[in-house]
Amino acid sequence: MEILLQLIYSGIALGMIYAVIAFGYQLTFATSDTLNFGQGEALMLGALVGLTLVDTLGVNYWLALPVVGLFGLVQGALVERIGVRPAIKIKSEFGWIMSTIALGIIFKNVAENIWGRDDLRFPSPLPEAPMKVFGANVLPMELLVIAGALVMMLAVEFFNRKTIYGKAVVATFNDRDAAKLMGINTGLVITFSYALSSLTASFAGVLIAPLTLTGATMGAVLGLKAFAVAIIGGLTSGMGIIVGGIILGVAETTTGFYISTGYKDVPGLVLLLLVLAVKPAGLFGKSAIKKV
């Protein structure tokens, strides 16, 4: 029972990281019906920039967080301007898909040339000795991951609901054409959603980096699994993304321990196929009806 509890704790921490990245998918889909398939690379760049600040330049971990967040904002806005906006203008159904994938590959190659191909260790800002929680060992950094992920998502929700700029984002989500007629600069809103999406991914990268090795290849798998979480939970539901992330995280840790680490990716993919077959909008998503 103690081992199971420990696996659940680790799974929740892993699932919350997936949820933060998947939340970025939701942000861009809500405003432009597009997705940044280089989201995993945004996480990777955030982790590596954070590593440079903390390990090379000696910046305090907590002070490095806002700097990494600012980097994520710029990187996300750049992706939208270069890869997504041209495709939206010509109404290309697949242009933004190939553009974001291509930019993700470019960012990965740039990272390999700057930081190398070897995985690097990110120094932990918290003690590495485990804590006892209800009889199971939990790393302090795992608790920080869960708390940080929740704070990030709640902050974005607060921004959307309580600020005038956030309401512009919500209006664009509800009806882009109507929002444009009301004077909202929907192009700027879409740019901002991409910037915010990359900020959340960069933040997730700095959170998860002390728990794993940091390198140019770390983003690809995390980005793909986060996309699975977004589909499982529903691209229109914040709660669904959190639940989907926890389900996938716990499924991976328990499968890896009780069956084999070689099969830890299987449950999530099986669940993804089942959800797509039974409820394509996701467990908590709503099917949209479009008039044609």
Side-chain angles (χ1 to χ4, degrees):
M1 189 64 190
E2 181 180 324
I3 293 174
L4 177 61
L5 194 59
Q6 192 164 329
L7 291 171
I8 291 173
Y9 287 156
S10 298
I12 291 174
L14 181 61
M16 290 306 295
I17 287 295
Y18 293 156
V20 171
I21 308 170
F23 192 58
Y25 287 121
Q26 185 192 54
L27 287 170
T28 59
F29 183 78
T31 56
S32 61
D33 290 331
T34 63
L35 300 168
N36 179 11
F37 285 103
Q39 188 78 344
E41 277 63 43
L43 175 142
M44 173 269 295
L45 288 173
L48 288 171
V49 169
L51 178 65
T52 299
L53 291 170
V54 174
D55 197 41
T56 305
L57 301 180
V59 178
N60 182 274
Y61 178 86
W62 310 107
L63 295 178
L65 288 176
V67 178
V68 172
L70 180 61
F71 172 82
L73 282 172
V74 174
Q75 189 262 347
L78 182 67
V79 168
E80 193 277 336
R81 289 283 182 170
I82 296 176
V84 179
R85 179 164 297 196
I88 292 178
K89 280 186 177 180
I90 63 174
K91 297 183 179 179
S92 171
E93 291 288 337
F94 304 105
W96 56 269
I97 297 177
M98 297 309 301
S99 295
T100 55
I101 291 174
L103 284 170
I105 294 172
I106 291 171
F107 288 137
K108 177 178 174 290
N109 288 338
V110 169
E112 287 177 340
N113 281 282
I114 295 176
W115 287 280
R117 298 190 177 187
D118 295 331
D119 290 329
L120 306 170
R121 186 179 181 278
F122 197 115
S124 176
L126 298 177
E128 297 185 12
M131 303 165 52
K132 283 283 186 180
V133 179
F134 299 112
N137 291 326
V138 182
L139 293 173
M141 200 64 209
E142 290 178 334
L143 297 178
L144 178 63
V145 164
I146 296 171
L150 288 174
V151 167
M152 171 60 71
M153 288 187 282
L154 289 173
V156 173
E157 283 295 315
F158 177 84
F159 172 82
N160 285 340
R161 294 176 183 273
K162 299 297 183 181
T163 69
I164 188 170
Y165 300 106
K167 290 177 181 178
V169 173
V170 174
T172 304
F173 162 67
N174 290 329
D175 193 322
R176 196 190 315 168
D177 292 331
K180 187 181 294 185
L181 291 173
M182 294 300 293
I184 295 173
N185 188 338
T186 55
L188 185 60
V189 169
I190 293 172
T191 301
F192 176 76
S193 70
Y194 265 83
L196 195 58
S197 169
S198 288
L199 183 151
T200 59
S202 299
F203 182 75
V206 179
L207 281 181
I208 198 175
L211 291 173
T212 184
L213 294 175
T214 305
T217 59
M218 68 181 293
V221 174
L222 289 171
L224 182 61
K225 290 182 179 179
F227 180 67
V229 165
I231 299 301
I232 291 169
L235 276 166
T236 59
S237 172
M239 179 58 68
I241 282 177
I242 294 175
V243 173
I246 292 174
I247 289 173
L248 182 57
V250 173
E252 284 190 3
T253 55
T254 51
T255 301
F257 181 83
Y258 289 111
I259 301 177
S260 169
T261 54
Y263 289 100
K264 69 182 180 66
D265 296 330
V266 172
L269 296 175
V270 170
L271 181 59
L272 173 62
L273 294 173
L274 290 175
V275 170
L276 287 174
V278 178
K279 201 172 186 298
L283 296 177
F284 292 80
K286 296 180 180 179
S287 300
I289 301 175
K290 291 186 178 181
K291 294 181 180 180
V292 295

